[in-house]
Amino acid sequence: MNEIIEQYDAPKASVYAEKTAGFWMRFWAFLIDLLVISAVTGLTIRPIFAVMDWDMSGTNWYAPFVVLSAVVYYAYFVLLTKFLKQTLGKMIFGLRVEKENGEALDWGTVLFRELIGRFIQKTFFFLPCVIVAFTPQNKGVADFFADTIVVHEKIYEKHV
């Protein structure tokens, strides 16, 4: 009889948390981001190089076109994530980057997540992206390092 009373004395607390974004949602958002970055690079950097008659075919990592394209790539992710908590791809799919503890994204977190995370992603190709499908809270490698999560806006899950 005591066991039954103890069960009913302690009500289970239900907590609602924002649903984390899985692999496919993040993948499609990233592809849209790549299209946007490609368009921005094509509309800004390429015309400048064409007008100035500068070589765009350099394949070395330090070629001017490659360096400027990398600056646009990293600036896109860093600035949009810091100020809006989402890139255009994430906006389209209703995703947002949050710190795990609920605090505001600070520069250190964003720089570490976006610069180091994107560098790891480019170095190991698709592997860091696949990790999202198999980790709790769908965290990517950069999310583990920066203590962030990517969540759906206005979609909540019940956690008991």
Side-chain angles (χ1 to χ4, degrees):
M1 181 84 164
N2 263 350
E3 294 171 4
I4 295 173
I5 293 171
E6 286 176 11
Q7 281 181 335
Y8 291 109
D9 284 345
K12 292 184 179 180
S14 297
V15 177
Y16 288 91
E18 291 176 308
K19 182 179 179 185
T20 57
F23 170 77
W24 288 110
M25 293 298 285
R26 292 173 71 162
F27 174 76
W28 294 118
F30 181 67
L31 284 182
I32 289 172
D33 290 333
L34 290 181
L35 289 172
V36 169
I37 292 167
S38 178
V40 168
T41 302
L43 292 172
T44 59
I45 297 174
R46 283 192 185 272
I48 293 170
F49 272 68
V51 167
M52 300 302 279
D53 198 27
W54 293 338
D55 182 28
M56 286 188 284
S57 62
T59 56
N60 297 330
W61 69 268
Y62 54 84
F65 182 76
V66 174
V67 170
L68 287 174
S69 296
V71 168
V72 168
Y73 177 84
Y74 288 112
Y76 172 83
F77 284 105
V78 168
L79 296 175
L80 288 177
T81 301
K82 171 59 180 146
F83 294 114
L84 302 175
K85 293 187 175 185
Q86 53 192 178
T87 59
L88 294 176
K90 286 183 179 80
M91 285 179 200
I92 289 170
F93 288 99
L95 307 177
R96 183 179 68 243
V97 178
E98 294 285 343
K99 282 189 81 164
E100 275 187 308
N101 60 10
E103 294 177 0
L105 291 173
D106 55 54
W107 279 107
T109 300
V110 172
L111 289 173
F112 195 78
R113 181 184 194 279
E114 297 301 336
L115 293 179
I116 304 301
R118 300 283 167 206
F119 178 77
I120 291 170
Q121 181 181 350
K122 284 192 143 317
T123 303
F124 295 103
F125 303 107
F126 205 58
L127 182 63
C129 296
V130 174
I131 290 173
V132 170
F134 302 104
T135 58
Q137 293 186 317
N138 300 319
K139 292 179 76 167
V141 173
D143 294 320
F144 279 110
F145 290 134
D147 294 327
T148 58
I149 55 173
V150 178
V151 296
H152 290 271
E153 293 182 313
K154 301 177 185 174
I155 298 177
Y156 295 88
E157 291 180 314
K158 186 176 183 178
H159 295 278
V160 179

